[in-house]
């Protein structure tokens, strides 16, 4: 597949290929492309947090994506605490990795038909998998306790949508399956965007990029302690959104992002577990692109 060195080029190729595929389904691999990059990250005030967690931690992220025939793919793997510091819940003995895997399967390409309409360029069967992280223990709706990673899988419908100013934006609506609790529980809406906003004479540019993951329609879970005091463990809705400004060259990028949380992972802020799950965090990124 054709390698690209910047996300902007990848986004441009994706838009071009989507238009081309909509008109001609005879060569599904003509618009194939791929990209990969490594991000050295530092997060400040990342949520959820408890009293043992300090204000920041480092991690290494391998981020990748592309298009191959009917499959549109995005994903990343995070490895926490590369410098082996005492980072509370990211310290020694804590879970070391988290992975997001988001393959989408083009309905246009599979049916050989142009399913675009209005601002919608292409339709997908969309899947999303989150594995690892180690931060979450919980109680399912039947009162059974479980401990371990953030493990969930979602499936639904997706689309590439032309949004005013932002341009092509990926949007997905999923049914949400909690792997730990073995339970379908509500829905998730996700969207992501990448918008070059400032271009420099030397070919570098600044992008506005980010995403939104929001869960809703889930079952609320409460817990009652020995003093008959009831608190909320899991809420019916919550999520996170990332808003980043990143400078890009062919091989490097530097960025800052603000991430907003509301009851992230559906954990009630200061609820049963006493975790802080609503608020803001800051992310600093240095990237090398392949």
């Amino acid at each position: 597949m054709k390698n690209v060195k910047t996300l902007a080029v990848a986004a441009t190729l994706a838009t071009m290929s989507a238009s081309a595929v909509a008109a001609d389904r005879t060569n599904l691999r003509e618009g194939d492309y791929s990209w990969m990059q490594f991000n050295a990250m530092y997060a400040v005030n990342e949520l959820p947090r408890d009293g043992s967690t300090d204000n920041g931690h480092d991690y290494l992220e391998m981020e990748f994506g592309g298009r191959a025939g009917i499959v549109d793919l995005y994903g990343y793997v995070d490895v926490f605490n590369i410098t082996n510091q005492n980072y509370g819940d990211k310290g020694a003995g804590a879970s070391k990795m988290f992975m997001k895997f988001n393959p989408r399967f083009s309905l246009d390409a599979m049916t050989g038909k142009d399913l675009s309409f209005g601002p919608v360029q292409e339709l997908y069967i969309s899947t999303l998998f989150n594995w690892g992280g180690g931060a979450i223990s919980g109680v399912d709706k039947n009162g059974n306790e479980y401990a371990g990673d953030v493990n969930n899988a979602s499936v639904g419908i997706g689309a590439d949508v032309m949004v005013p100013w932002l341009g092509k934006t990926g949007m997905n609506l999923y049914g949400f399956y909690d792997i730990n609790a073995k339970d379908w529980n509500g829905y998730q809406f996700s969207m992501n965007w990448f918008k070059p906003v400032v271009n420099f004479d030397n070919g570098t540019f600044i992008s506005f990029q980010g995403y939104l993951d929001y869960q809703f329609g889930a079952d609320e879970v409460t817990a009652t302690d020995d003093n008959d005091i009831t608190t909320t463990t899991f809420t019916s809705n919550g999520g996170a959104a990332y808003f980043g400004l990143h400078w890009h060259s062919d091989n490097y990028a530097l960025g800052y992002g603000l991430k907003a949380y509301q009851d992230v992972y559906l954990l009630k802020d200061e609820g049963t577990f006493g975790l802080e799950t609503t608020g803001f965090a800051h992310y600093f990124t240095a990237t090398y692109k392949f």
Side-chain angles (χ1 to χ4, degrees):
M1 289 190 288
K2 182 178 180 181
N3 290 320
V4 295
K5 289 193 173 183
T6 72
L7 291 175
V9 176
T12 301
L13 286 175
T15 303
M16 293 170 59
S17 65
S19 301
V21 171
D24 181 9
R25 302 297 181 184
T26 58
N27 186 355
L28 292 179
R29 306 306 295 265
E30 184 176 4
D32 287 0
Y33 68 94
S34 65
W35 58 271
M36 181 176 69
Q37 61 188 36
F38 281 83
N39 307 314
M41 308 280 292
Y42 195 84
V44 179
N45 292 333
E46 187 175 49
L47 302 178
R49 296 176 59 228
D50 62 21
S52 70
T53 308
D54 68 3
N55 286 333
H57 71 90
D58 67 86
Y59 60 102
L60 179 67
E61 180 174 87
M62 183 185 74
E63 192 176 16
F64 54 88
R67 179 69 181 254
I70 68 172
V71 182
D72 177 85
L73 176 66
Y74 172 76
Y76 62 80
V77 178
D78 290 341
V79 182
F80 303 128
N81 196 5
I82 296 298
T83 57
N84 198 31
Q85 302 297 309
N86 183 20
Y87 284 145
D89 66 356
K90 297 295 190 294
S95 180
K96 198 70 176 176
M97 300 181 70
F98 175 80
M99 179 176 181
K100 180 185 287 286
F101 189 58
N102 182 202
R104 303 191 302 168
F105 305 90
S106 170
L107 286 169
D108 295 52
M110 287 189 288
T111 61
K113 297 180 180 180
D114 180 2
L115 302 178
S116 62
F117 59 93
V120 176
Q121 290 192 317
E122 193 166 0
L123 293 176
Y124 301 88
I125 295 174
S126 189
T127 62
L128 174 65
F129 304 90
N130 293 304
W131 296 303
I136 302 303
S137 300
V139 180
D140 65 22
K141 64 181 180 180
N142 298 315
N144 301 312
E145 294 185 3
Y146 59 84
D149 294 327
V150 178
N151 297 320
N152 54 65
S154 302
V155 62
I157 191 75
D160 289 334
V161 182
M162 292 303 296
V163 176
W165 189 76
L166 276 181
K168 192 181 80 166
T169 302
M171 296 187 181
N172 306 282
L173 179 62
Y174 305 100
F176 184 88
Y177 182 73
D178 187 329
I179 295 174
N180 291 334
K182 298 181 180 180
D183 180 39
W184 288 97
N185 188 20
Y187 308 91
Q188 177 169 314
F189 174 75
S190 297
M191 61 182 291
N192 59 82
W193 62 88
F194 185 96
K195 169 70 176 181
V197 291
V198 179
N199 294 287
F200 300 104
D201 292 339
N202 62 1
T204 66
F205 64 95
I206 295 175
S207 67
F208 172 58
Q209 58 193 74
Y211 62 86
L212 166 70
D213 290 326
Y214 194 76
Q215 294 174 248
F216 61 96
D219 297 324
E220 184 174 288
V221 177
T222 60
T224 303
D225 63 18
D226 294 338
N227 297 317
D228 290 329
I229 297 176
T230 299
T231 56
T232 299
T233 305
F234 292 98
T235 66
S236 62
N237 59 85
Y242 176 87
F243 306 95
L245 289 174
H246 293 243
W247 169 85
H248 290 269
S249 69
D250 282 348
N251 293 111
Y252 304 97
L254 295 172
Y256 163 76
L258 177 68
K259 193 169 182 178
Y261 300 84
Q262 179 207 322
D263 295 331
V264 66
Y265 304 131
L266 298 182
L267 285 162
K268 177 64 177 176
D269 188 43
E270 304 295 346
T272 303
F273 300 119
L275 296 172
E276 184 180 351
T277 63
T278 297
F280 297 92
H282 308 275
Y283 290 80
F284 301 90
T285 308
T287 296
Y288 184 80
K289 305 176 186 180
F290 287 86

